[in-house]
Amino acid sequence: MGKSFAVIGDPIDHSLSPNIHNAAFRELDLDCSYIAYRIPQGELKEGIEGLKKIKIDGFNVTIPHKIEMMKYLDKIDESCSLIGAVNTVTNKEGTLKGYNTDMDGFIEPFKKRELVIEGTEILLLGAGGAARAIVAGFAKEKAKRITIANRTLENAEVLLDFAEKIGSNANAIKIHDVDLMTNGYDIIVNATSIGLKKEPSPISLDGITDKTIVYDIVYMPMNTDFIKKAKEKRAKIIFGYEMLLGQAVRAFEIWHGIEAPYNAMKKALLGGF
Ligand code: NDP
């Protein structure tokens, strides 16, 4: 019998995950389907019951359910307990197990380019859910130090506590105080939501060089103002779609136990832009 998968969240209409996973099924000739299923905030419990009734084999979880979903899991993978949020779930005869593939998805583009994170100075803009997975990734890869810069300093300090708990050397500042200090960082990541609505870059990037790695996790539009400014400086660029693809590839491998067809998934994703 064919297997079925879904992504749950709200809003969900514009999710690119169905495109990516269905392309993978076509490429490997798998008898599977993947749909987007809108579950509004406050209706997660009923939504999950519905998914169990139709014997869904697995699903992705996105905004606003990534943290609340933890309550409904029977088993929790280490990636998930570390970050405290879930984005991938398997359903084995009614037993739900949660994973978080955002961390691996974020790191994947560095690996693909053979860029070394160990010993680097990091500037991380933002302190939300995605930034937490990113801090966990940088800690795992042994970055030298992470400077967390956020609009709300208190939120940066909460993430700083987490970074220190998992053994990272980190500090927290206000994003407003970054501008004159962009030199001296090997890697600069935008993990705020700035760019989604075509806003100007959150920082100037004047001090960077062609050796700086600049990574924007905002993936729509692909060329944010932050990316454009980095390109002007001929920095090494990593795009947000690469993280999106990385987490999807990892989720695919968890569900199907075989290597994901990266190129077919990438093509489907880029066709969605
Ligand atoms: P959260 O809502 O958890 O965090 C949002 C962050 O952006 C906070 O640090 C917030 O600061 C900051 N922020 C929002 N608006 C502004 C503003 N006007 N000025 C300054 N800072 C601002 O979101 P997520 O962490 O889940 O996601 C962040 C972004 O990353 C989203 O755009 C999302 O689409 C993208 N993303 C991409 C992924 C990928 O695979 N490429 C995966 C996950 C997310 P404050 O604390 O002050 O509110």
Side-chain angles (χ1 to χ4, degrees), residues 220-232:
M220 188 79 91
M222 197 155 101
N223 282 295
T224 57
D225 187 53
F226 180 72
I227 291 281
K228 283 181 194 154
K229 288 205 160 66
K231 279 184 174 168
E232 281 165 19

Side-chain angles (χ1 to χ4, degrees), residues 3-7 15 17-19 21-22 25 32-36 58-60 255:
K3 290 188 170 179
S4 50
F5 300 88
V7 55
S15 171
S17 295
N19 290 1
H21 285 279
N22 284 313
F25 302 155
C32 297
S33 61
Y34 186 112
I35 57 155
F59 54 97
N60 284 127
W255 288 328

